[in-house]
Amino acid sequence: MSKKAVALISGGLDSMLAARLIQQQGVQVEGINFYTGFCVEGHTHAIRKQDRNKNKRNNALWVAEQLGIKLQIIDIVEEYKDVVINPKHGYGANLNPCLDCKIFMVGKALEWIKDFEYDFIITGEVIGQRPMSQRKATMPVVARESGADDLLLRPLCAKNLAPTLPEREGWIDREKLMSITGRSRKPQMALAKEFGFVDYAQPAGGCCFLTDKSYSVKLQDLWNHRGTRKYELDDIMLLKVGRHIRPNQAFKLIIAREEGETNFLSGYQREFQTIKTVSHAGPIALVEGEQLDAQQLELACAITARFSQGRDADSVELLFSDHGQNTQSIHVKPMPAEQIKADWVLA
Amino acid sequence: MSEVTELDARRLLCPMPVIRLQDCLRKQASGARVRITCTDPGTMNDIPAWCRINDHTLLECDQQDHQISFLVQKSQV
Ligand code: SF4
């Protein structure tokens, strides 16, 4: 009877190639993709108007379609919080807990294969590809700590690792697997060509916003000011949008950079204090933090006005609204650019 | 014809609408129909692709102003 494998499909080239290598050996492959809330694709494209004409495809779905496999997208937003907040193996260059993340995802895949009677798990990992999570020393850590042990097969570098159960049992032929190592993408590109894959995603900087320096600065700032490392999905979505400016400890402004972001942030008017320029074309700003007093409100409006078409006007009118209520009109002189201190801008 | 289950995925960004649809269909019998209403334009690609991949039938796709609604029928297998 033919064996069944679950492939972790990230949407990138490596997991696509890994899945195809196993399909070629007559194994029935199905894909799973995890949604952590930090995933790069989709959101920013959907929000920013300037990006609207770009291809908005979901890469994991696209890969599944190219491979001709079924794909389930699994919402792990809640469970994943613990991975981000308390990574046992620490963070990479930014707030990316890559090793814990891999262990967690392979562990989830293990639950999946048990629940739905698959035989083993495939990932697109390559030894030496990523400084933190894809070193030769970490490969056994992922296998062991996830509990998957020798049910975890990495087809792209399998020949450099000890044989796994599917290889030992002869479900698949180890000789037809690969021995790719290192950061060069050439072997993967050659294999993609051999398989006839074109137009695959080459995401710069990894699969999620946690590898992004500016995003990590904003997330750390959020934790610092809340006094706790907790977050909700809306928090981490909002860190992907707008300029984040914190002029003091009391509040932070999230100021839309263009129309698409204004539309998106407008959807949060009931959850936040908001400021919107009315005398001139301009952005909406969400105020995150304490209830603004008169002085803070003036400061928040002066900063927001700076990013409107009225930036050089003597006076700009803005509307302040408190969770969609008690709207009041405010007139301010926009803050000159040089008064917006560099360390206010979170990036 | 059986009733249509309505799903509201407005304001949700991709891939959440797909996840909602997928989780809803998982609980339904073969042939059941679900209508999902979305606002993220990314769903114009994602929901048809997800249906094709998983053998579900996209019966209707209707876009009005900023809302897109999809009527999907669960596969027979
Ligand atoms: S880049 Fe993000 S999704 Fe990828 S392994 Fe690291 S933490 Fe996980």
Side-chain angles (χ1 to χ4, degrees):
Chain A
M1 207 174 77
S2 89
K3 294 293 174 185
K4 293 201 305 180
V6 155
L8 267 65
I9 298 292
S10 66
L13 177 60
D14 292 0
S15 54
M16 185 181 190
L17 295 171
R20 176 48 57 90
L21 277 169
I22 297 306
Q23 276 182 303
Q24 277 196 325
Q25 298 213 21
V27 171
Q28 184 191 333
V29 176
E30 296 201 2
I32 51 177
N33 171 260
F34 294 110
Y35 177 62
T36 64
F38 294 101
C39 309
V40 171
E41 63 190 332
H43 306 98
T44 35
H45 287 181
I47 297 164
R48 297 196 70 175
K49 202 172 181 202
Q50 65 187 59
D51 289 336
R52 286 215 163 179
N53 295 331
K54 284 191 191 158
N55 197 339
K56 286 185 287 285
R57 75 181 185 202
N58 174 302
N59 284 320
L61 288 170
W62 183 83
V63 163
E65 197 161 20
Q66 301 305 302
L67 292 168
I69 63 173
K70 292 194 173 176
L71 179 84
Q72 296 289 317
I73 304 178
I74 302 174
D75 172 2
I76 55 165
V77 172
E78 282 303 314
E79 293 166 271
Y80 193 73
K81 288 177 179 172
D82 193 47
V83 177
V84 179
I85 295 169
N86 301 306
K88 183 176 154 197
H89 296 279
Y91 297 107
N94 296 297
L95 285 176
N96 50 310
C98 290
L99 187 49
D100 290 84
C101 173
K102 284 263 154 59
I103 293 166
F104 177 78
M105 288 184 180
V106 173
K108 293 300 289 179
L110 181 66
E111 285 174 20
W112 188 271
I113 68 168
K114 285 183 180 159
D115 288 351
F116 298 100
E117 298 184 346
Y118 290 80
D119 299 293
F120 62 102
I121 301 163
I122 319 164
T123 69
E125 290 163 284
V126 167
I127 294 172
Q129 174 120 305
R130 296 261 178 88
M132 181 182 185
S133 60
Q134 298 192 28
R135 287 180 287 120
K136 186 147 190 177
T138 60
M139 295 277 166
V141 177
V142 174
R144 189 176 62 243
E145 293 193 14
S146 65
D149 291 316
D150 63 358
L151 294 178
L152 174 59
L153 176 66
R154 288 97 161 194
L156 296 183
C157 61
K159 280 175 158 174
N160 295 325
L161 297 168
T164 57
L165 187 76
E167 294 159 276
R168 292 200 312 273
E169 290 291 320
W171 301 341
I172 54 155
D173 179 356
R174 179 174 169 89
E175 285 313 303
K176 293 188 181 145
L177 302 177
M178 309 294 289
S179 55
I180 302 175
T181 55
R183 300 183 71 114
S184 161
R185 306 287 300 155
K186 284 196 184 135
Q188 286 95 319
M189 284 153 92
L191 196 56
K193 198 166 169 203
E194 194 184 315
F195 288 152
F197 294 149
V198 284
D199 191 27
Y200 43 82
Q202 296 269 36
C207 9
C208 75
F209 269 104
L210 292 169
T211 58
D212 183 78
K213 182 165 181 286
S214 148
Y215 188 89
S216 296
V217 166
K218 287 182 264 187
L219 180 57
Q220 188 63 57
D221 168 83
L222 182 118
W223 285 343
N224 292 347
H225 283 85
R226 292 207 178 150
T228 162
R229 289 156 71 85
K230 291 197 176 125
Y231 63 80
E232 296 303 326
L233 183 58
D234 274 337
D235 294 325
I236 60 176
M237 300 304 292
L238 286 170
L239 296 182
K240 299 176 187 177
V241 185
R243 279 185 189 84
H244 290 235
I245 298 181
R246 182 180 294 287
N248 58 42
Q249 301 300 313
F251 70 95
K252 173 179 88 169
L253 291 170
I254 305 173
I255 305 176
R257 289 170 294 191
E258 43 86 280
E259 196 187 327
E261 289 191 342
T262 289
N263 292 339
F264 179 74
L265 293 179
S266 297
Y268 285 90
Q269 290 187 75
R270 286 175 189 276
E271 282 97 38
F272 286 84
Q273 300 171 79
T274 53
I275 296 167
K276 175 91 185 76
T277 331
V278 285
S279 58
H280 300 77
I284 188 170
L286 305 187
V287 182
E288 198 194 72
E290 296 168 10
Q291 188 70 34
L292 299 182
D293 61 22
Q295 207 181 352
Q296 306 280 28
L297 179 56
E298 191 171 334
L299 172 63
C301 288
I303 296 170
T304 306
R306 172 75 227 157
F307 296 97
S308 75
Q309 298 289 328
R311 63 180 66 90
D312 299 318
D314 287 334
S315 176
V316 167
E317 183 187 2
L318 303 104
L319 283 185
F320 169 75
S321 213
D322 186 1
H323 295 75
Q325 293 179 335
N326 303 330
T327 303
Q328 54 173 299
S329 162
I330 318 261
H331 291 81
V332 292
K333 183 169 170 47
M335 182 173 276
E338 63 277 10
Q339 284 181 25
I340 298 185
K341 298 192 184 123
D343 63 359
W344 291 2
V345 182
L346 305 174
Chain B
M1 265 295 186
S2 59
E3 278 180 24
V4 174
T5 306
E6 298 284 342
L7 268 185
D8 182 359
R10 287 173 298 177
R11 279 191 60 198
L12 293 181
L13 298 178
C14 286
M16 284 311 284
V18 173
I19 293 174
R20 287 281 159 84
L21 176 62
Q22 169 192 280
D23 292 351
C24 175
L25 277 186
R26 193 178 291 144
K27 295 183 213 132
Q28 310 269 342
S30 293
R33 290 176 302 152
V34 173
R35 186 189 316 278
I36 181 164
T37 308
C38 310
T39 45
D40 182 347
T43 56
M44 293 286 280
N45 283 325
D46 289 5
I47 289 187
W50 183 82
C51 289
R52 285 194 302 274
I53 290 166
N54 293 293
D55 300 329
H56 303 304
T57 310
L58 181 58
L59 298 170
E60 281 170 31
C61 169
D62 179 36
Q63 185 170 19
Q64 271 177 15
D65 300 324
H66 292 299
Q67 289 202 36
I68 313 146
S69 85
F70 302 88
L71 181 62
V72 177
Q73 184 165 42
K74 182 166 174 165
S75 67
Q76 299 294 338
V77 279

